[in-house]
Amino acid sequence: MEPQAKKRKEMDKCDTWDVLPVLSDEQSRDTELLAAYAAPIIEKRQTSRLVKELSQIHPLPSLQHIKRVRACKDKSTPHPLEVIVCLASDVQVTDCKGVMLTDLIPSQSFDSSGLGVPFLVKIPANPPLTRPQFEKASKHWPTSFHEDKQVTSALRGQLFTADQKAKMQEYMTAAVQAAKSGEEMGMDAVGAVIVDPESEQIAAVAHDCKRGSHPLHHAVMVCIDLVACGQGGGTYDYEKYPACWFNSSETFRNACNGKENGLPYICTGYDLYVTREPCVMCAMALVHSRINRVFYGATSADGALGTKYKIHCQKDLNHHFEVFKGVMLNACEALEKK
Amino acid sequence: MIPMEMEAESVKPEKSNFLQPLDSEIQRWMSKAFDMALEALENGEVPVGCLMVYNNEIIGKGRNEVNETKNATRHAEMVALDQVLNWCCCREKDPKEVCEQTVLYVTVEPCIMCAAALRLLHIPLVVYGCKNERFGGCGSVLDVSSDHLPHTGTSFKCIAGYRAEEAVEMLKMFYKQENPNAPKPKVRKDLISPPDGAVVIQVKRGPQDEERETIAPLS
C-alpha cells in the first residue's frame, strides 16, 4: 500500500485530462459539397406548387437532409425565397453561367411561372451528424439535423460530470496500478479494468501477460477471460499473476443477480478502462463480448478503436459501442515511456 | 474479389514451397477440417472445424468453446492456437519458429479477432472454405490478413473458397436446427442472414474453379 500523500499527489498530477469521444468517420468527416442549381421564387404564392412539381421532376432521393426551399436572409433582395431545382450532375449543361430553366427542366408540362433565373449553389452532400457539421453545412444551404445530444455534449467536453470523472479516474487508476504490477513482473505496462457501471463495482482487473507464457494474453484478453471466470467459466489460470483478479465478493454477486435482465452474460453492459488503445484482436474480442463502453488513455500505433480502425463503429459488424480516449492521458502515456 | 493478396516481402524464398501446398495436400487437410465441422454440427455446435499443420503433422485443432467457457473469444482458431503453443511448450520448441511454418486449415474465413491473433503468432498461410460476411477478417469486413499493421505481427496469405458451398450448407443447417422459432431471415442471393447476429456466410465462387486459381505463385 502506498502512503496516502504520495497517492494524492499522483491523483493531482493527472487531474487535467479531458475525455474525448472517438467518433465514426461519418461523424468526424468534413462537410462535402455538391453543386446544384437553385432559382429565386419571385412569386411567393407559387411556392408550394413549384416545390411539389420540382420534386416530381428532380426528386433528389439521396439528399433527404436538404431543405428544398431557403429563406433569403438578406432583406434587400427582391425575392424572399430560393428553391433547389436539381443537382448539377442531374443535367448536362455546357454553359453554366447562361443556364436557363428550360435547360434544367425538360418537361413540357412544367409551369415555370413564379421562378427566376437559375444560379449555381453548393449544398452539403451528407446529413450532418454532429453540431459542428451542422453549423458548417447550414452555411451553404439549410439542412435538417437530428442531433445526437450525447455526441454534442461529448464534443463540448460536457458529457461527464465531475463525479463521473472522479469515478473514471478511480477505475483508470486501478488499470494503471495493474499495468505497473505487470511491469514489475517483466510484462508490457498495460492494464485493464472491467466495471459494472450499474453497481459501480469492478468485475475484473488484468495486466498484459503476453511476455509470460502466452503471446495472446494482452491485458484486454486476460480481463475478458477473468470476467468469464467470475461467471463460472474462463479458460486460463492466473495464479501466477496476483494483480490479475476477478470480483468474487458477495456484494458484487448480489448486485449482478439482482438485475432485472437476469444473470450476467459475458461483458454485456460492462465498461472497459484500459491504459492504451486496444489492438485489432482485442478490439474485436470486445465486439464479441458485447462491451458497453470503452475508455482508454493513450493511443496506440496499430490501435483499432480510432487509430488504424474504428472497430466500435465498423459498418457490417453486429455490435457497436462508444469509445472515449484521453482518460488520465499523462499517467497512461508515462507507462509507455519507461 | 478473393482476399488472397499477400505481402511477398514477408516470405522468405526457402519457404515458398511450403506456402504453395499441393492440391492433394489441401484436399487431405481440408477434408479433415470438414469432418470436424460435421462432427460439431452433429453435436449441436457451430459447424466450424480447423486444424493447424506443421511439418505434415497436426499440432492443433479446435472447435468453438464459447458457451462452455462463457468467453466469447473462444473461437475454434483461438482454441487451436492454444494447442499449438502447448505443443511447442511440451517439445521445448520456439513458438515463433514453429508458427512461421504452420498452415491453418479452416472451413470458414477467420473473423477479425482470429485473423489478428494469427498475425500476432506469425502464421503465414490460411486455407479456408467459405467467406464470413458478418465478421470476416480476411477481406469480408476488414482485411486484417494483409493490411499494413507493422506492430501487429506478420501479414498472411489466404487460399479461399475450398469447398465453400459445402461449408455454407453446414452453417445453414446449423442455424435451421438451432432456432426453429426465430423469425424468418431475409434471404438474398447467396446470402443467408440468420437471426441474433449469427455468422453470415457468402459463397463467392464455386470450389472447382477456386482451387487452381487461388494458389497463385509467390514472387
Side-chain angles (χ1 to χ4, degrees), chain B residues 41 44-47 165-187 191-196 198-201:
Chain B
L41 182 69
E45 301 280 353
V46 185
E165 271 139 9
E166 210 178 316
V168 173
E169 218 33 65
M170 275 199 262
L171 286 159
K172 279 187 183 170
M173 272 157 70
F174 172 76
Y175 290 117
K176 244 183 254 166
Q177 72 181 31
E178 164 93 322
N179 193 351
N181 300 323
K184 269 223 156 123
K186 288 174 196 162
V187 178
L191 182 77
I192 48 159
S193 173
D196 196 25
V199 197
V200 177
I201 302 305

Side-chain angles (χ1 to χ4, degrees), chain A residues 51-324:
Chain A
V51 168
K52 202 172 150 196
E53 287 182 26
L54 281 173
S55 40
Q56 263 162 12
I57 300 162
H58 290 296
L60 309 179
S62 62
L63 295 165
Q64 294 297 315
H65 59 285
I66 293 288
K67 297 194 173 170
R68 194 99 192 191
V69 177
R70 78 168 166 190
C72 291
K73 281 170 195 147
D74 186 357
K75 290 283 188 308
S76 63
T77 56
H79 55 271
L81 300 172
E82 287 168 353
V83 62
I84 299 280
V85 179
C86 62
L87 281 177
S89 59
D90 286 347
V91 288
Q92 287 197 314
V93 175
T94 41
D95 171 24
C96 52
K97 284 224 169 112
V99 72
M100 309 282 283
L101 272 174
T102 47
D103 298 328
L104 307 180
I105 304 164
S107 170
Q108 301 288 320
S109 57
F110 178 68
D111 172 9
S112 66
S113 59
L115 265 191
V117 179
F119 57 95
L120 268 176
V121 288
K122 298 266 188 192
I123 61 170
N126 303 298
L129 298 172
T130 62
R131 189 155 282 276
Q133 283 179 339
F134 173 62
E135 279 160 9
K136 265 194 178 168
S138 307
K139 279 185 191 148
H140 298 277
W141 193 273
T143 66
S144 54
F145 177 39
H146 303 287
E147 184 176 13
D148 184 334
K149 290 254 163 61
Q150 213 191 356
V151 169
T152 297
S153 55
L155 285 169
R156 285 202 191 114
Q158 299 167 340
L159 185 56
F160 302 105
T161 64
D163 282 356
Q164 285 170 318
K165 277 185 82 178
K167 274 277 167 206
M168 279 179 206
Q169 176 140 336
E170 182 191 324
Y171 302 136
M172 192 59 94
T173 302
V176 169
Q177 288 305 326
K180 286 177 180 167
S181 307
E183 197 181 20
E184 279 165 22
M185 298 184 74
M187 308 294 162
D188 285 4
V190 187
V193 171
I194 289 178
V195 175
D196 173 23
E198 229 174 280
S199 64
E200 299 189 330
Q201 293 215 43
I202 287 175
V205 178
H207 57 71
D208 170 85
C209 300
K210 66 174 173 286
R211 297 196 185 277
S213 49
H214 198 304
L216 300 180
H217 280 181
H218 294 191
V220 171
M221 299 301 278
V222 175
C223 213
I224 288 172
D225 198 46
L226 282 162
V227 169
C229 292
Q231 295 170 357
T235 306
Y236 306 100
D237 179 8
Y238 304 96
E239 232 167 69
K240 279 192 289 182
Y241 311 111
C244 297
W245 57 274
F246 63 90
N247 194 340
S248 56
S249 76
E250 204 156 316
T251 44
F252 181 65
R253 279 206 304 268
N254 288 342
C256 291
N257 292 338
K259 278 185 186 166
E260 280 176 25
N261 30 359
L263 290 171
Y265 171 66
I266 48 179
C267 298
T268 310
Y270 287 174
D271 292 342
L272 169 76
Y273 291 80
V274 57
T275 55
R276 78 164 179 222
E277 184 185 357
C279 74
V280 60
M281 173 182 68
C282 294
M284 191 61 192
L286 292 165
V287 172
H288 288 314
S289 303
R290 303 287 186 273
I291 198 83
N292 183 37
R293 294 184 297 182
V294 172
F295 298 86
Y296 64 80
T299 55
S300 308
D302 275 357
L305 297 180
T307 302
K308 273 279 161 71
Y309 304 109
K310 292 177 174 177
I311 299 264
H312 59 296
C313 51
Q314 173 72 39
K315 257 183 91 188
D316 305 331
L317 292 182
N318 63 344
H319 176 69
H320 297 137
F321 50 88
E322 290 172 15
V323 173
F324 301 89

